[in-house]
Amino acid sequence: AIRLLVAGSVCSGLANVGFGFVSEIKSVEMFFSISILMRAVTALGESGINTSVYPLARGLTPSKYTVTVISCIETAFGLGTMTGPFFGGLLYEKGGFVLPFIVCGSMLGVSGLTCGVMLLCLRRRQHRRRAKRLEALEDGVVQEDDLVIPQRIKFREVMKNPEVLLASFIVILSGVSSQWYQPILEPFLSTN
């Protein structure tokens, strides 16, 4: 799932950056064709992100907190889709048609690579912890009751978990990248 997350982020990021340069195409037919192609590649990357984030978050957190983790990810996606048009419009006002695509695409690609590296490190650390706990349990140093996770957890405690924060961040960026082009595409098309 980590590879899918990284591949989806890079694919979507590069396609977003590429989409920013379709404004240089003079032929209407070519502009339309390349726009559809770039949007399809972006959607392919975004589907990879959304497909991989849920099992990653579920696998990196205790099973008792699955519902809370999934709700955090859904909240992050909603936040991204809600703020995407705002940031897209703001970047369009500051730098024209190309700037939102370059900024959002670059952020998505770099954050995907960063999250991939961080998730691999966190997964290795988690495996080491589990091995130490099992070893301590076998040696009688720790009782099985000491390994029990409390039943209730607060939202703030879940968000302190680095795995949940990473998953939420990449989903926010995915939501932003899937919605930010809406306020800028229509004015650009109507002026050309």
Side-chain angles (χ1 to χ4, degrees), residues 36-85:
I36 296 294
L37 177 67
M38 288 295 165
R39 188 62 194 125
V41 172
T42 303
L44 181 69
E46 290 168 1
S47 66
I49 293 168
N50 291 331
T51 302
S52 64
V53 165
Y54 293 99
L56 278 172
R58 192 171 38 244
L60 291 169
T61 55
S63 60
K64 292 184 178 187
Y65 305 133
T66 300
V67 173
T68 307
V69 169
I70 298 299
S71 67
C72 290
I73 291 172
E74 290 293 334
T75 301
F77 185 74
L79 182 64
T81 56
M82 183 176 66
T83 59

Coordinates of all heavy atoms in Angstrom, one line a residue, residues 36-85:
I36 N -8.1 16.3 -21.2 CA -8.8 15.1 -20.8 C -7.8 14.1 -20.4 O -7.9 13.4 -19.3 CB -9.7 14.5 -21.9 CG1 -10.8 15.5 -22.3 CG2 -10.2 13.2 -21.6 CD1 -11.8 15.7 -21.2
L37 N -6.7 13.9 -21.1 CA -5.7 13.0 -20.8 C -5.0 13.3 -19.4 O -4.8 12.4 -18.6 CB -4.6 12.9 -21.9 CG -3.4 12.0 -21.6 CD1 -3.8 10.6 -21.6 CD2 -2.3 12.3 -22.6
M38 N -4.7 14.5 -19.2 CA -4.0 14.9 -17.9 C -5.0 14.7 -16.8 O -4.6 14.3 -15.7 CB -3.6 16.4 -18.0 CG -2.4 16.6 -18.8 SD -1.0 15.8 -18.1 CE 0.1 15.8 -19.5
R39 N -6.2 15.1 -17.0 CA -7.2 14.9 -15.9 C -7.4 13.4 -15.6 O -7.6 13.0 -14.4 CB -8.5 15.5 -16.3 CG -9.5 15.6 -15.1 CD -9.0 16.4 -13.9 NE -9.8 16.1 -12.8 CZ -9.4 15.6 -11.6 NH1 -8.1 15.5 -11.4 NH2 -10.2 15.4 -10.7
A40 N -7.4 12.5 -16.6 CA -7.5 11.1 -16.4 C -6.3 10.5 -15.6 O -6.5 9.7 -14.7 CB -7.6 10.4 -17.8
V41 N -5.1 11.0 -16.0 CA -3.9 10.6 -15.2 C -4.0 11.1 -13.8 O -3.6 10.3 -12.9 CB -2.6 11.0 -16.0 CG1 -1.4 10.7 -15.1 CG2 -2.5 10.4 -17.3
T42 N -4.4 12.3 -13.6 CA -4.6 12.8 -12.2 C -5.6 12.0 -11.4 O -5.3 11.6 -10.3 CB -5.0 14.3 -12.3 OG1 -4.1 15.1 -13.0 CG2 -5.2 14.9 -10.9
A43 N -6.7 11.7 -12.1 CA -7.7 10.8 -11.4 C -7.2 9.4 -11.0 O -7.5 8.9 -10.0 CB -8.9 10.7 -12.2
L44 N -6.4 8.9 -11.9 CA -5.7 7.6 -11.7 C -4.8 7.7 -10.4 O -4.9 6.8 -9.6 CB -4.9 7.2 -12.9 CG -4.2 5.8 -12.8 CD1 -5.3 4.7 -12.8 CD2 -3.3 5.6 -14.0
G45 N -4.0 8.7 -10.3 CA -3.2 8.9 -9.2 C -4.0 9.1 -7.9 O -3.7 8.6 -6.8
E46 N -5.0 9.9 -8.0 CA -5.9 10.2 -6.8 C -6.6 8.9 -6.3 O -6.7 8.7 -5.1 CB -6.9 11.3 -7.1 CG -6.3 12.6 -7.3 CD -7.2 13.7 -7.9 OE1 -8.4 13.3 -8.1 OE2 -6.8 14.8 -8.0
S47 N -7.0 8.1 -7.3 CA -7.6 6.8 -6.9 C -6.6 5.9 -6.2 O -6.9 5.2 -5.2 CB -8.2 6.1 -8.1 OG -7.2 5.7 -9.0
G48 N -5.3 5.9 -6.6 CA -4.3 5.2 -5.9 C -4.1 5.7 -4.5 O -3.9 4.9 -3.5
I49 N -4.1 7.0 -4.3 CA -4.0 7.6 -3.0 C -5.1 7.2 -2.1 O -4.9 6.7 -1.0 CB -3.9 9.2 -3.1 CG1 -2.6 9.6 -3.8 CG2 -4.0 9.8 -1.7 CD1 -2.6 11.1 -4.2
N50 N -6.3 7.4 -2.6 CA -7.5 7.0 -1.8 C -7.6 5.6 -1.5 O -8.1 5.2 -0.4 CB -8.8 7.6 -2.4 CG -8.8 9.1 -2.4 OD1 -8.3 9.7 -1.5 ND2 -9.5 9.7 -3.4
T51 N -7.2 4.7 -2.4 CA -7.2 3.3 -2.2 C -6.2 2.8 -1.1 O -6.4 1.9 -0.4 CB -7.0 2.5 -3.5 OG1 -7.9 3.0 -4.4 CG2 -7.0 1.1 -3.3
S52 N -5.0 3.5 -1.1 CA -4.0 3.0 -0.2 C -4.0 3.6 1.2 O -3.5 3.0 2.1 CB -2.6 3.4 -0.8 OG -2.4 4.8 -1.0
V53 N -4.6 4.8 1.3 CA -4.5 5.5 2.6 C -5.3 4.7 3.7 O -4.9 4.6 4.8 CB -5.0 6.9 2.5 CG1 -5.4 7.5 3.8 CG2 -4.0 7.8 1.8
Y54 N -6.5 4.2 3.3 CA -7.3 3.5 4.3 C -6.7 2.3 4.9 O -6.6 2.1 6.1 CB -8.7 3.2 3.7 CG -9.5 4.5 3.5 CD1 -9.6 5.0 2.2 CD2 -10.1 5.1 4.5 CE1 -10.3 6.2 2.0 CE2 -10.9 6.3 4.3 CZ -10.9 6.8 3.0 OH -11.6 8.0 2.8
P55 N -6.2 1.3 4.1 CA -5.5 0.2 4.7 C -4.2 0.5 5.4 O -3.9 -0.1 6.4 CB -5.2 -0.7 3.5 CG -5.6 0.0 2.3 CD -6.3 1.2 2.6
L56 N -3.5 1.6 5.0 CA -2.3 2.0 5.7 C -2.6 2.5 7.1 O -2.0 2.1 8.1 CB -1.6 3.1 4.9 CG -0.7 2.6 3.8 CD1 -0.2 3.8 3.0 CD2 0.5 1.8 4.3
A57 N -3.6 3.3 7.2 CA -4.0 3.9 8.5 C -4.6 2.8 9.4 O -4.3 2.7 10.6 CB -5.0 5.0 8.3
R58 N -5.3 1.9 8.8 CA -5.9 0.8 9.6 C -4.8 -0.2 10.0 O -4.9 -0.7 11.2 CB -7.0 0.1 8.8 CG -7.8 -0.9 9.6 CD -9.0 -1.4 8.8 NE -8.7 -1.8 7.4 CZ -9.3 -1.2 6.4 NH1 -10.2 -0.2 6.6 NH2 -9.1 -1.5 5.2
G59 N -3.8 -0.4 9.2 CA -2.8 -1.3 9.6 C -1.7 -0.8 10.5 O -1.1 -1.5 11.2
L60 N -1.6 0.5 10.6 CA -0.6 1.2 11.5 C -1.2 1.6 12.8 O -0.4 2.2 13.6 CB 0.0 2.3 10.8 CG 0.9 2.0 9.6 CD1 1.3 3.2 8.8 CD2 2.2 1.2 10.0
T61 N -2.5 1.4 13.0 CA -3.0 1.8 14.3 C -3.7 0.6 14.9 O -4.1 -0.4 14.2 CB -4.1 2.9 14.1 OG1 -5.1 2.5 13.2 CG2 -3.4 4.2 13.7
P62 N -3.9 0.6 16.2 CA -4.6 -0.6 16.9 C -6.0 -0.8 16.3 O -6.7 0.2 16.0 CB -4.7 -0.2 18.4 CG -3.6 0.8 18.5 CD -3.5 1.5 17.2
S63 N -6.4 -2.0 16.2 CA -7.7 -2.3 15.6 C -8.9 -1.8 16.3 O -9.9 -1.5 15.7 CB -7.9 -3.9 15.4 OG -7.8 -4.5 16.7
K64 N -8.8 -1.5 17.6 CA -9.9 -0.9 18.4 C -10.2 0.5 17.9 O -11.3 1.0 18.2 CB -9.5 -0.9 19.9 CG -9.5 -2.3 20.5 CD -9.2 -2.2 21.9 CE -9.2 -3.7 22.5 NZ -9.2 -3.7 23.9
Y65 N -9.3 1.1 17.3 CA -9.4 2.5 16.9 C -9.7 2.7 15.4 O -9.6 3.8 14.9 CB -8.2 3.4 17.3 CG -7.9 3.3 18.7 CD1 -6.6 3.0 19.1 CD2 -8.8 3.4 19.7 CE1 -6.2 2.9 20.4 CE2 -8.5 3.3 21.0 CZ -7.2 3.1 21.4 OH -6.9 3.0 22.7
T66 N -10.0 1.6 14.7 CA -10.3 1.7 13.3 C -11.3 2.7 12.9 O -11.1 3.5 12.0 CB -10.6 0.3 12.7 OG1 -9.6 -0.6 13.0 CG2 -10.9 0.3 11.3
V67 N -12.4 2.7 13.6 CA -13.5 3.6 13.2 C -13.1 5.1 13.4 O -13.4 5.9 12.5 CB -14.8 3.3 14.1 CG1 -15.9 4.3 13.8 CG2 -15.3 1.9 13.7
T68 N -12.4 5.3 14.5 CA -11.9 6.7 14.7 C -10.9 7.1 13.7 O -10.9 8.3 13.2 CB -11.3 6.8 16.1 OG1 -12.2 6.3 17.1 CG2 -10.9 8.2 16.5
V69 N -10.0 6.2 13.3 CA -9.0 6.6 12.3 C -9.7 6.8 10.9 O -9.3 7.8 10.2 CB -7.9 5.4 12.2 CG1 -7.1 5.6 11.0 CG2 -7.1 5.4 13.5
I70 N -10.6 6.0 10.5 CA -11.3 6.2 9.3 C -12.1 7.5 9.3 O -12.1 8.2 8.3 CB -12.2 5.0 9.0 CG1 -11.5 3.7 8.8 CG2 -13.1 5.2 7.7 CD1 -10.4 3.7 7.7
S71 N -12.7 7.8 10.4 CA -13.4 9.1 10.5 C -12.4 10.3 10.4 O -12.8 11.3 9.8 CB -14.2 9.2 11.7 OG -13.4 9.3 12.9
C72 N -11.2 10.2 10.9 CA -10.2 11.2 10.8 C -9.8 11.4 9.3 O -9.7 12.5 8.8 CB -9.0 10.9 11.6 SG -9.2 11.0 13.4
I73 N -9.7 10.3 8.6 CA -9.3 10.4 7.2 C -10.4 11.0 6.4 O -10.2 11.8 5.5 CB -8.9 9.0 6.7 CG1 -7.6 8.5 7.3 CG2 -8.8 9.0 5.1 CD1 -7.2 7.1 7.0
E74 N -11.7 10.6 6.6 CA -12.8 11.2 5.9 C -12.9 12.7 6.2 O -13.2 13.5 5.3 CB -14.1 10.5 6.3 CG -14.2 9.1 5.8 CD -14.4 9.0 4.3 OE1 -14.8 9.9 3.7 OE2 -14.0 7.9 3.8
T75 N -12.7 13.1 7.4 CA -12.7 14.5 7.8 C -11.6 15.2 7.0 O -11.8 16.3 6.5 CB -12.5 14.7 9.3 OG1 -13.5 14.0 10.0 CG2 -12.5 16.1 9.7
A76 N -10.4 14.6 6.9 CA -9.3 15.2 6.2 C -9.7 15.4 4.7 O -9.4 16.5 4.1 CB -8.0 14.4 6.3
F77 N -10.3 14.4 4.1 CA -10.7 14.5 2.7 C -11.7 15.6 2.5 O -11.7 16.4 1.6 CB -11.2 13.2 2.1 CG -11.5 13.3 0.7 CD1 -10.5 13.3 -0.2 CD2 -12.8 13.3 0.2 CE1 -10.7 13.3 -1.6 CE2 -13.1 13.4 -1.1 CZ -12.0 13.4 -2.0
G78 N -12.7 15.7 3.4 CA -13.7 16.8 3.4 C -13.1 18.2 3.5 O -13.4 19.1 2.8
L79 N -12.1 18.3 4.4 CA -11.4 19.5 4.6 C -10.6 19.9 3.3 O -10.6 21.1 2.9 CB -10.4 19.4 5.7 CG -9.6 20.7 6.1 CD1 -10.5 21.8 6.6 CD2 -8.6 20.3 7.2
G80 N -10.0 18.9 2.7 CA -9.3 19.2 1.4 C -10.2 19.6 0.3 O -9.9 20.6 -0.4
T81 N -11.4 18.9 0.1 CA -12.3 19.3 -0.9 C -13.0 20.6 -0.7 O -13.4 21.3 -1.6 CB -13.3 18.2 -1.2 OG1 -14.0 17.9 0.0 CG2 -12.7 16.9 -1.7
M82 N -13.1 21.0 0.6 CA -13.7 22.2 1.0 C -12.8 23.4 0.7 O -13.2 24.5 0.3 CB -14.1 22.2 2.4 CG -14.9 23.4 2.9 SD -15.4 23.2 4.6 CE -13.8 23.2 5.5
T83 N -11.5 23.3 1.0 CA -10.5 24.4 0.9 C -9.9 24.4 -0.5 O -9.2 25.4 -0.8 CB -9.4 24.3 2.0 OG1 -8.8 23.0 1.8 CG2 -10.0 24.4 3.4
G84 N -10.0 23.4 -1.3 CA -9.3 23.3 -2.6 C -9.7 24.5 -3.5 O -8.8 25.1 -4.0
P85 N -11.0 24.7 -3.7 CA -11.3 25.9 -4.6 C -10.8 27.2 -4.1 O -10.4 28.1 -4.9 CB -12.9 25.8 -4.6 CG -13.2 24.4 -4.3 CD -12.2 23.9 -3.4

